[in-house]
Amino acid sequence: MNSRERVLKAFHVVPGKPDRPPLQFDLCKSLTDHFSGALGIPADYALSYYEDLTYRISANAIRTAMGSDCVIVGGTVREGFVPKPVSGDIRAPLKTIVSKCSGSFNHMFSSYLLI
């Protein structure tokens, strides 16, 4: 069974049961670089504003060669992007948005942001 069939069966899109649960895993930079060399597959990094997302959306060829049934996709930063330094409480804009929400939605996000 190939990865596509496995995932479609696991999500009940097509009839039947998968031969095993679909597998998906992330690799940190050091493991991506290691397996890139070991497998002879270039480490293709898709830079994102958030470091953890960069490694989740990168190196799909390496992960699928290692048996991952799924790949993760996401947005990258535009070419030439330079991040701006942030100081103070970066949650401040979110506090303003959350304060305008009502009921359980406000409570849920207030708890999550610890505000």
Side-chain angles (χ1 to χ4, degrees), residues 9-112:
K9 287 183 179 192
F11 283 109
H12 307 287
V13 174
V14 297
K17 295 190 177 207
D19 57 344
R20 62 169 172 78
L23 179 66
Q24 188 280 322
F25 53 88
D26 295 339
L27 295 171
C28 64
K29 183 177 184 337
S30 62
L31 287 176
T32 298
D33 292 342
H34 169 79
F35 288 115
S36 172
L39 296 171
I41 300 172
D44 181 26
Y45 290 105
L47 298 178
S48 175
Y49 186 76
Y50 302 101
E51 182 181 21
D52 63 328
L53 182 57
T54 292
Y55 301 118
R56 287 191 181 123
I57 64 174
S58 298
N60 285 326
I62 294 169
R63 286 186 284 150
T64 54
M66 294 174 64
S68 180
D69 294 305
C70 306
V71 297
I72 305 297
V73 296
T76 59
V77 295
R78 73 183 192 293
E79 189 174 330
F81 173 79
V82 178
K84 295 179 183 175
V86 177
S87 62
D89 187 353
I90 64 171
R91 299 173 299 169
L94 294 174
K95 289 180 184 180
T96 303
I97 294 168
V98 170
S99 68
K100 295 178 182 177
C101 298
S102 62
S104 59
F105 186 78
N106 184 328
H107 176 71
M108 177 179 67
F109 278 99
S110 294
S111 299
Y112 177 73

